[in-house]
Amino acid sequence: MSADNDTAVYQGVTAPVARAAFRQGRVMPTAGIAPGMTQANMIALPADRAWDFLLYAQRNPKACPVLDVIEAGKTTTPLAAGADISRDLPLYRVWRDGALAEEIADASSLWAQHPDLVTFLIGCSFTFETPLQQAGIEIRHISAGCNVPMYRTNRQCRPAGCLQGEMVVSMRPVAADRVADAVAITARYPAVHGAPVHIGEPAALGIRDLAQPDFGDAVQIKPGEIPVFWACGVTPQAAVMASRLPFAISHAPGHMFITDIADSSFHV
Amino acid sequence: MSADNDTAVYQGVTAPVARAAFRQGRVMPTAGIAPGMTQANMIALPADRAWDFLLYAQRNPKACPVLDVIEAGKTTTPLAAGADISRDLPLYRVWRDGALAEEIADASSLWAQHPDLVTFLIGCSFTFETPLQQAGIEIRHISAGCNVPMYRTNRQCRPAGCLQGEMVVSMRPVAADRVADAVAITARYPAVHGAPVHIGEPAALGIRDLAQPDFGDAVQIKPGEIPVFWACGVTPQAAVMASRLPFAISHAPGHMFITDIADSSFHV
């Protein structure tokens, strides 16, 4: 599924209004929606894999900064009053034996079938897009009304138990004279991926063609701009694939859980 | 046990030399030892409590920032080459049924008796003492050659599974005109407790008498100085007590694990 053409309409709404729209079936990438409110990556795993995942996240904090853990059988979080994690994301991915089985707009029936799911909410780089914009740094995928481009890399994460896999990165083109500002601003948000992991030279990350992202949409890179790469909360999905996990549910890349927590609360 | 009178001799040694001395039986608080190298709090729990603890740490990241998890049966960590976590701390505390049972300088026989221990290394505020000193802010307990004062508070941590308890804080007196600098400097070290949780007004934290710390040593507060409180990695020991855990091993307060990781690597 691609973006709902109502995306522009939803850019000004509050987080609860956006979650209610998603619960009613609206599907759209969430970049630019409910600006100023932190968005989160989501991955839910059976309880017998939860320890391995929490350890994997601890060992790879740049890619997998944990904002909250929802214990087995629960679908609520203190990050968003009244939210139901099984229904309030715009789009879910269902994984079986490490492969993408389907994308669905409501995962509540799967939660009912798997009452032992433990859910992890992981920081998202959308959080620092607001301060980047406030500093006059254009976020190309927001300007273009599309999803952020994401790429699998050749950087292996530190494994934990049954989990291994490569780091996934998001990319934003930044004018060469603003790259240092983008680093300084995002470094102050360590709980939501922090400073870039790589600046320029996509081939050194194992990325062959920026025009063909593994997740999300390609964006234009203008003359004088450098591709800047941040660790991405889709990394757990790469681990689901590489580790051939029997079952998992995640958000669809770019289709995040929108919390009631202000982006600014993650500034250090 | 109190400080070994060799403490001053050891202040200039490297981390591996300090660990070797502790392995040979030297007992001393580690503030000021191997300056510039990160020190860590330690808590080891049976594997069946490990999930609850990792969740407790995730929910209370200011007090319990996890630097590494050593899996069941292992005593090595990538944070310190050649180190053995069961022998290389200067002093251990053994906890039984939530009460302090004994303090010992070598815990390797206990690790042998409990092969399922999972060990957590937690960030320590000693990490940001070097940059505070470099900014000209005196660290009173280092000047005095004693342990940092630590206090139990009336602030409850967010519980997880079998674990609950209050936050423990460390206190450093700071001249009123340098408190803002101390905040700004330590805020840049979120992985090792970060910015203070409380400035002045100890009674509001439930601390009755700064001259009687619950852990460590009292220090002089000079006229014009404000007591500044940081979340402390002794918080897990408070949880062991409050939750009446059957068995645990921890470092003795102020007697930390000294790693090979530079303090500066935690600066964001």
Side-chain angles (χ1 to χ4, degrees), chain B residues 29-67:
Chain B
T30 50
I33 308 282
M37 305 311 290
T38 285
Q39 303 194 11
N41 301 273
M42 188 277 290
I43 182 127
L45 299 167
D48 63 358
R49 309 288 173 140
W51 165 258
D52 284 356
F53 185 80
L54 193 49
L55 200 54
Y56 192 74
Q58 191 279 322
R59 289 181 178 168
N60 301 285
K62 196 103 180 170
C64 308
V66 178
L67 302 184

mmCIF file of all heavy atoms in Angstrom, chain B residues 29-67:
data_model
loop_
_atom_site.group_PDB
_atom_site.id
_atom_site.type_symbol
_atom_site.label_atom_id
_atom_site.label_comp_id
_atom_site.label_asym_id
_atom_site.label_seq_id
_atom_site.Cartn_x
_atom_site.Cartn_y
_atom_site.Cartn_z
ATOM 1 N N PRO B 29 37.524 2.356 47.733
ATOM 2 C CA PRO B 29 36.563 2.990 46.827
ATOM 3 C C PRO B 29 37.292 3.425 45.561
ATOM 4 O O PRO B 29 38.496 3.730 45.603
ATOM 5 C CB PRO B 29 36.059 4.213 47.600
ATOM 6 C CG PRO B 29 36.577 4.087 48.987
ATOM 7 C CD PRO B 29 37.748 3.163 48.949
ATOM 8 N N THR B 30 36.587 3.453 44.450
ATOM 9 C CA THR B 30 37.256 3.673 43.166
ATOM 10 C C THR B 30 37.160 5.103 42.645
ATOM 11 O O THR B 30 37.682 5.387 41.566
ATOM 12 C CB THR B 30 36.675 2.712 42.120
ATOM 13 O OG1 THR B 30 35.257 2.816 42.154
ATOM 14 C CG2 THR B 30 37.103 1.278 42.397
ATOM 15 N N ALA B 31 36.501 6.014 43.378
ATOM 16 C CA ALA B 31 36.443 7.412 42.910
ATOM 17 C C ALA B 31 37.869 7.932 42.740
ATOM 18 O O ALA B 31 38.696 7.810 43.642
ATOM 19 C CB ALA B 31 35.676 8.278 43.903
ATOM 20 N N GLY B 32 38.149 8.475 41.565
ATOM 21 C CA GLY B 32 39.475 9.039 41.314
ATOM 22 C C GLY B 32 40.502 8.034 40.828
ATOM 23 O O GLY B 32 41.598 8.422 40.417
ATOM 24 N N ILE B 33 40.162 6.747 40.837
ATOM 25 C CA ILE B 33 41.100 5.725 40.344
ATOM 26 C C ILE B 33 40.996 5.657 38.815
ATOM 27 O O ILE B 33 39.906 5.759 38.264
ATOM 28 C CB ILE B 33 40.754 4.332 40.927
ATOM 29 C CG1 ILE B 33 40.627 4.376 42.446
ATOM 30 C CG2 ILE B 33 41.766 3.288 40.480
ATOM 31 C CD1 ILE B 33 41.905 4.391 43.196
ATOM 32 N N ALA B 34 42.132 5.462 38.145
ATOM 33 C CA ALA B 34 42.153 5.367 36.678
ATOM 34 C C ALA B 34 41.333 6.494 36.050
ATOM 35 O O ALA B 34 40.386 6.243 35.298
ATOM 36 C CB ALA B 34 41.650 3.993 36.216
ATOM 37 N N PRO B 35 41.705 7.739 36.329
ATOM 38 C CA PRO B 35 40.871 8.849 35.859
ATOM 39 C C PRO B 35 40.685 8.839 34.343
ATOM 40 O O PRO B 35 41.599 8.509 33.600
ATOM 41 C CB PRO B 35 41.629 10.097 36.321
ATOM 42 C CG PRO B 35 42.979 9.642 36.728
ATOM 43 C CD PRO B 35 42.884 8.199 37.062
ATOM 44 N N GLY B 36 39.474 9.178 33.934
ATOM 45 C CA GLY B 36 39.175 9.220 32.506
ATOM 46 C C GLY B 36 38.587 7.928 31.975
ATOM 47 O O GLY B 36 38.113 7.883 30.846
ATOM 48 N N MET B 37 38.610 6.855 32.801
ATOM 49 C CA MET B 37 38.040 5.584 32.354
ATOM 50 C C MET B 37 36.701 5.367 33.062
ATOM 51 O O MET B 37 36.573 5.583 34.272
ATOM 52 C CB MET B 37 38.983 4.421 32.682
ATOM 53 C CG MET B 37 40.390 4.616 32.122
ATOM 54 S SD MET B 37 40.440 5.105 30.370
ATOM 55 C CE MET B 37 39.878 3.580 29.619
ATOM 56 N N THR B 38 35.724 4.899 32.302
ATOM 57 C CA THR B 38 34.377 4.760 32.845
ATOM 58 C C THR B 38 34.283 3.648 33.886
ATOM 59 O O THR B 38 34.809 2.557 33.681
ATOM 60 C CB THR B 38 33.381 4.496 31.701
ATOM 61 O OG1 THR B 38 33.186 5.729 31.015
ATOM 62 C CG2 THR B 38 32.039 3.998 32.224
ATOM 63 N N GLN B 39 33.615 3.955 34.987
ATOM 64 C CA GLN B 39 33.360 2.967 36.022
ATOM 65 C C GLN B 39 31.885 2.562 35.952
ATOM 66 O O GLN B 39 31.046 3.339 35.508
ATOM 67 C CB GLN B 39 33.699 3.545 37.388
ATOM 68 C CG GLN B 39 35.158 4.016 37.444
ATOM 69 C CD GLN B 39 35.658 4.284 38.849
ATOM 70 O OE1 GLN B 39 35.004 3.933 39.824
ATOM 71 N NE2 GLN B 39 36.830 4.890 38.953
ATOM 72 N N ALA B 40 31.618 1.344 36.393
ATOM 73 C CA ALA B 40 30.257 0.816 36.277
ATOM 74 C C ALA B 40 29.787 0.198 37.580
ATOM 75 O O ALA B 40 30.558 -0.433 38.302
ATOM 76 C CB ALA B 40 30.174 -0.225 35.165
ATOM 77 N N ASN B 41 28.499 0.379 37.865
ATOM 78 C CA ASN B 41 27.815 -0.361 38.903
ATOM 79 C C ASN B 41 27.582 -1.784 38.399
ATOM 80 O O ASN B 41 27.478 -2.020 37.195
ATOM 81 C CB ASN B 41 26.452 0.270 39.190
ATOM 82 C CG ASN B 41 26.552 1.715 39.642
ATOM 83 O OD1 ASN B 41 26.710 1.984 40.812
ATOM 84 N ND2 ASN B 41 26.471 2.656 38.702
ATOM 85 N N MET B 42 27.465 -2.734 39.315
ATOM 86 C CA MET B 42 27.275 -4.129 38.928
ATOM 87 C C MET B 42 26.163 -4.746 39.759
ATOM 88 O O MET B 42 26.089 -4.513 40.966
ATOM 89 C CB MET B 42 28.575 -4.899 39.128
ATOM 90 C CG MET B 42 28.568 -6.324 38.581
ATOM 91 S SD MET B 42 27.828 -7.565 39.674
ATOM 92 C CE MET B 42 29.061 -7.639 40.988
ATOM 93 N N ILE B 43 25.298 -5.500 39.081
ATOM 94 C CA ILE B 43 24.341 -6.331 39.815
ATOM 95 C C ILE B 43 24.148 -7.633 39.050
ATOM 96 O O ILE B 43 23.983 -7.621 37.831
ATOM 97 C CB ILE B 43 22.993 -5.620 40.084
ATOM 98 C CG1 ILE B 43 22.069 -6.526 40.900
ATOM 99 C CG2 ILE B 43 22.315 -5.198 38.799
ATOM 100 C CD1 ILE B 43 21.521 -5.902 42.129
ATOM 101 N N ALA B 44 24.248 -8.746 39.776
ATOM 102 C CA ALA B 44 24.092 -10.075 39.166
ATOM 103 C C ALA B 44 22.917 -10.763 39.831
ATOM 104 O O ALA B 44 22.802 -10.782 41.066
ATOM 105 C CB ALA B 44 25.367 -10.891 39.352
ATOM 106 N N LEU B 45 22.039 -11.322 38.985
ATOM 107 C CA LEU B 45 20.808 -11.951 39.472
ATOM 108 C C LEU B 45 20.641 -13.303 38.787
ATOM 109 O O LEU B 45 21.098 -13.493 37.656
ATOM 110 C CB LEU B 45 19.596 -11.076 39.097
ATOM 111 C CG LEU B 45 19.550 -9.655 39.651
ATOM 112 C CD1 LEU B 45 18.473 -8.850 38.946
ATOM 113 C CD2 LEU B 45 19.283 -9.696 41.147
ATOM 114 N N PRO B 46 19.959 -14.234 39.443
ATOM 115 C CA PRO B 46 19.649 -15.496 38.763
ATOM 116 C C PRO B 46 18.858 -15.242 37.487
ATOM 117 O O PRO B 46 18.086 -14.277 37.398
ATOM 118 C CB PRO B 46 18.800 -16.257 39.803
ATOM 119 C CG PRO B 46 19.191 -15.663 41.116
ATOM 120 C CD PRO B 46 19.479 -14.219 40.834
ATOM 121 N N ALA B 47 19.042 -16.123 36.496
ATOM 122 C CA ALA B 47 18.459 -15.911 35.168
ATOM 123 C C ALA B 47 16.950 -15.713 35.214
ATOM 124 O O ALA B 47 16.398 -14.970 34.394
ATOM 125 C CB ALA B 47 18.813 -17.086 34.248
ATOM 126 N N ASP B 48 16.269 -16.333 36.184
ATOM 127 C CA ASP B 48 14.811 -16.205 36.186
ATOM 128 C C ASP B 48 14.334 -14.817 36.637
ATOM 129 O O ASP B 48 13.143 -14.539 36.605
ATOM 130 C CB ASP B 48 14.155 -17.313 37.019
ATOM 131 C CG ASP B 48 14.549 -17.256 38.484
ATOM 132 O OD1 ASP B 48 15.351 -16.388 38.863
ATOM 133 O OD2 ASP B 48 14.054 -18.100 39.258
ATOM 134 N N ARG B 49 15.261 -13.954 37.063
ATOM 135 C CA ARG B 49 14.906 -12.572 37.397
ATOM 136 C C ARG B 49 15.466 -11.584 36.370
ATOM 137 O O ARG B 49 15.287 -10.369 36.521
ATOM 138 C CB ARG B 49 15.458 -12.186 38.778
ATOM 139 C CG ARG B 49 15.118 -13.171 39.884
ATOM 140 C CD ARG B 49 13.641 -13.101 40.269
ATOM 141 N NE ARG B 49 13.316 -14.170 41.213
ATOM 142 C CZ ARG B 49 12.514 -14.021 42.257
ATOM 143 N NH1 ARG B 49 11.927 -12.868 42.476
ATOM 144 N NH2 ARG B 49 12.255 -15.029 43.058
ATOM 145 N N ALA B 50 16.167 -12.106 35.362
ATOM 146 C CA ALA B 50 16.896 -11.214 34.455
ATOM 147 C C ALA B 50 15.957 -10.357 33.601
ATOM 148 O O ALA B 50 16.201 -9.164 33.399
ATOM 149 C CB ALA B 50 17.833 -12.026 33.563
ATOM 150 N N TRP B 51 14.884 -10.961 33.106
ATOM 151 C CA TRP B 51 13.939 -10.180 32.297
ATOM 152 C C TRP B 51 13.353 -9.035 33.118
ATOM 153 O O TRP B 51 13.312 -7.894 32.673
ATOM 154 C CB TRP B 51 12.834 -11.078 31.756
ATOM 155 C CG TRP B 51 11.644 -10.328 31.223
ATOM 156 C CD1 TRP B 51 10.447 -10.143 31.835
ATOM 157 C CD2 TRP B 51 11.557 -9.629 29.968
ATOM 158 N NE1 TRP B 51 9.605 -9.398 31.045
ATOM 159 C CE2 TRP B 51 10.255 -9.062 29.891
ATOM 160 C CE3 TRP B 51 12.444 -9.432 28.903
ATOM 161 C CZ2 TRP B 51 9.827 -8.315 28.798
ATOM 162 C CZ3 TRP B 51 12.009 -8.673 27.809
ATOM 163 C CH2 TRP B 51 10.723 -8.138 27.762
ATOM 164 N N ASP B 52 12.907 -9.373 34.332
ATOM 165 C CA ASP B 52 12.334 -8.330 35.186
ATOM 166 C C ASP B 52 13.348 -7.207 35.400
ATOM 167 O O ASP B 52 12.994 -6.024 35.364
ATOM 168 C CB ASP B 52 11.927 -8.909 36.552
ATOM 169 C CG ASP B 52 10.638 -9.723 36.476
ATOM 170 O OD1 ASP B 52 10.026 -9.772 35.406
ATOM 171 O OD2 ASP B 52 10.269 -10.316 37.507
ATOM 172 N N PHE B 53 14.614 -7.559 35.608
ATOM 173 C CA PHE B 53 15.586 -6.507 35.870
ATOM 174 C C PHE B 53 15.850 -5.659 34.638
ATOM 175 O O PHE B 53 15.938 -4.420 34.726
ATOM 176 C CB PHE B 53 16.918 -7.045 36.416
ATOM 177 C CG PHE B 53 17.808 -5.894 36.775
ATOM 178 C CD1 PHE B 53 17.615 -5.220 37.973
ATOM 179 C CD2 PHE B 53 18.741 -5.400 35.878
ATOM 180 C CE1 PHE B 53 18.354 -4.090 38.278
ATOM 181 C CE2 PHE B 53 19.485 -4.268 36.176
ATOM 182 C CZ PHE B 53 19.287 -3.620 37.382
ATOM 183 N N LEU B 54 15.979 -6.301 33.480
ATOM 184 C CA LEU B 54 16.266 -5.513 32.271
ATOM 185 C C LEU B 54 15.100 -4.575 31.966
ATOM 186 O O LEU B 54 15.293 -3.431 31.541
ATOM 187 C CB LEU B 54 16.577 -6.449 31.088
ATOM 188 C CG LEU B 54 17.200 -5.826 29.834
ATOM 189 C CD1 LEU B 54 18.392 -4.934 30.154
ATOM 190 C CD2 LEU B 54 17.612 -6.907 28.841
ATOM 191 N N LEU B 55 13.888 -5.059 32.256
ATOM 192 C CA LEU B 55 12.713 -4.209 32.072
ATOM 193 C C LEU B 55 12.725 -3.060 33.097
ATOM 194 O O LEU B 55 12.415 -1.908 32.758
ATOM 195 C CB LEU B 55 11.461 -5.076 32.246
ATOM 196 C CG LEU B 55 10.141 -4.592 31.673
ATOM 197 C CD1 LEU B 55 10.252 -4.274 30.200
ATOM 198 C CD2 LEU B 55 9.063 -5.673 31.887
ATOM 199 N N TYR B 56 13.086 -3.381 34.332
ATOM 200 C CA TYR B 56 13.183 -2.340 35.376
ATOM 201 C C TYR B 56 14.181 -1.264 34.959
ATOM 202 O O TYR B 56 13.926 -0.060 35.109
ATOM 203 C CB TYR B 56 13.622 -2.998 36.690
ATOM 204 C CG TYR B 56 13.501 -2.146 37.931
ATOM 205 C CD1 TYR B 56 12.261 -1.876 38.498
ATOM 206 C CD2 TYR B 56 14.633 -1.641 38.567
ATOM 207 C CE1 TYR B 56 12.147 -1.115 39.647
ATOM 208 C CE2 TYR B 56 14.530 -0.882 39.724
ATOM 209 C CZ TYR B 56 13.282 -0.621 40.269
ATOM 210 O OH TYR B 56 13.170 0.130 41.409
ATOM 211 N N ALA B 57 15.302 -1.697 34.422
ATOM 212 C CA ALA B 57 16.323 -0.744 33.963
ATOM 213 C C ALA B 57 15.788 0.095 32.805
ATOM 214 O O ALA B 57 15.980 1.318 32.766
ATOM 215 C CB ALA B 57 17.585 -1.495 33.544
ATOM 216 N N GLN B 58 15.094 -0.543 31.874
ATOM 217 C CA GLN B 58 14.558 0.203 30.734
ATOM 218 C C GLN B 58 13.548 1.236 31.203
ATOM 219 O O GLN B 58 13.469 2.335 30.641
ATOM 220 C CB GLN B 58 13.927 -0.777 29.729
ATOM 221 C CG GLN B 58 13.569 -0.155 28.376
ATOM 222 C CD GLN B 58 12.261 0.602 28.402
ATOM 223 O OE1 GLN B 58 11.302 0.209 29.047
ATOM 224 N NE2 GLN B 58 12.227 1.730 27.704
ATOM 225 N N ARG B 59 12.791 0.903 32.233
ATOM 226 C CA ARG B 59 11.756 1.816 32.715
ATOM 227 C C ARG B 59 12.297 2.908 33.629
ATOM 228 O O ARG B 59 11.581 3.853 33.952
ATOM 229 C CB ARG B 59 10.672 1.012 33.461
ATOM 230 C CG ARG B 59 9.851 0.195 32.494
ATOM 231 C CD ARG B 59 8.770 -0.589 33.184
ATOM 232 N NE ARG B 59 8.007 -1.297 32.148
ATOM 233 C CZ ARG B 59 7.133 -2.258 32.391
ATOM 234 N NH1 ARG B 59 6.886 -2.632 33.630
ATOM 235 N NH2 ARG B 59 6.489 -2.837 31.405
ATOM 236 N N ASN B 60 13.510 2.738 34.083
ATOM 237 C CA ASN B 60 14.128 3.714 34.978
ATOM 238 C C ASN B 60 15.521 4.059 34.466
ATOM 239 O O ASN B 60 16.521 3.865 35.160
ATOM 240 C CB ASN B 60 14.173 3.130 36.405
ATOM 241 C CG ASN B 60 12.775 2.794 36.919
ATOM 242 O OD1 ASN B 60 12.025 3.686 37.277
ATOM 243 N ND2 ASN B 60 12.428 1.518 36.921
ATOM 244 N N PRO B 61 15.598 4.559 33.234
ATOM 245 C CA PRO B 61 16.913 4.699 32.589
ATOM 246 C C PRO B 61 17.797 5.748 33.244
ATOM 247 O O PRO B 61 19.021 5.681 33.134
ATOM 248 C CB PRO B 61 16.560 5.093 31.150
ATOM 249 C CG PRO B 61 15.203 5.710 31.247
ATOM 250 C CD PRO B 61 14.503 4.972 32.358
ATOM 251 N N LYS B 62 17.193 6.701 33.928
ATOM 252 C CA LYS B 62 18.006 7.723 34.572
ATOM 253 C C LYS B 62 18.831 7.099 35.712
ATOM 254 O O LYS B 62 20.005 7.423 35.884
ATOM 255 C CB LYS B 62 17.080 8.808 35.123
ATOM 256 C CG LYS B 62 17.775 10.073 35.472
ATOM 257 C CD LYS B 62 17.568 11.159 34.432
ATOM 258 C CE LYS B 62 18.302 12.410 34.874
ATOM 259 N NZ LYS B 62 18.376 13.426 33.859
ATOM 260 N N ALA B 63 18.235 6.191 36.456
ATOM 261 C CA ALA B 63 18.931 5.546 37.573
ATOM 262 C C ALA B 63 19.693 4.303 37.131
ATOM 263 O O ALA B 63 20.728 3.973 37.713
ATOM 264 C CB ALA B 63 17.940 5.169 38.672
ATOM 265 N N CYS B 64 19.188 3.612 36.114
ATOM 266 C CA CYS B 64 19.738 2.296 35.734
ATOM 267 C C CYS B 64 20.103 2.224 34.258
ATOM 268 O O CYS B 64 19.599 1.363 33.527
ATOM 269 C CB CYS B 64 18.728 1.198 36.056
ATOM 270 S SG CYS B 64 18.089 1.197 37.741
ATOM 271 N N PRO B 65 20.997 3.106 33.779
ATOM 272 C CA PRO B 65 21.391 3.018 32.374
ATOM 273 C C PRO B 65 22.306 1.809 32.151
ATOM 274 O O PRO B 65 23.389 1.729 32.721
ATOM 275 C CB PRO B 65 22.146 4.331 32.145
ATOM 276 C CG PRO B 65 22.688 4.686 33.497
ATOM 277 C CD PRO B 65 21.672 4.185 34.496
ATOM 278 N N VAL B 66 21.851 0.867 31.336
ATOM 279 C CA VAL B 66 22.596 -0.386 31.156
ATOM 280 C C VAL B 66 23.733 -0.189 30.150
ATOM 281 O O VAL B 66 23.497 0.208 29.005
ATOM 282 C CB VAL B 66 21.654 -1.510 30.675
ATOM 283 C CG1 VAL B 66 22.451 -2.794 30.449
ATOM 284 C CG2 VAL B 66 20.550 -1.753 31.687
ATOM 285 N N LEU B 67 24.960 -0.458 30.582
ATOM 286 C CA LEU B 67 26.111 -0.369 29.689
ATOM 287 C C LEU B 67 26.421 -1.709 29.046
ATOM 288 O O LEU B 67 26.903 -1.768 27.919
ATOM 289 C CB LEU B 67 27.351 0.123 30.454
ATOM 290 C CG LEU B 67 27.206 1.484 31.137
ATOM 291 C CD1 LEU B 67 28.546 1.878 31.768
ATOM 292 C CD2 LEU B 67 26.741 2.544 30.154
#
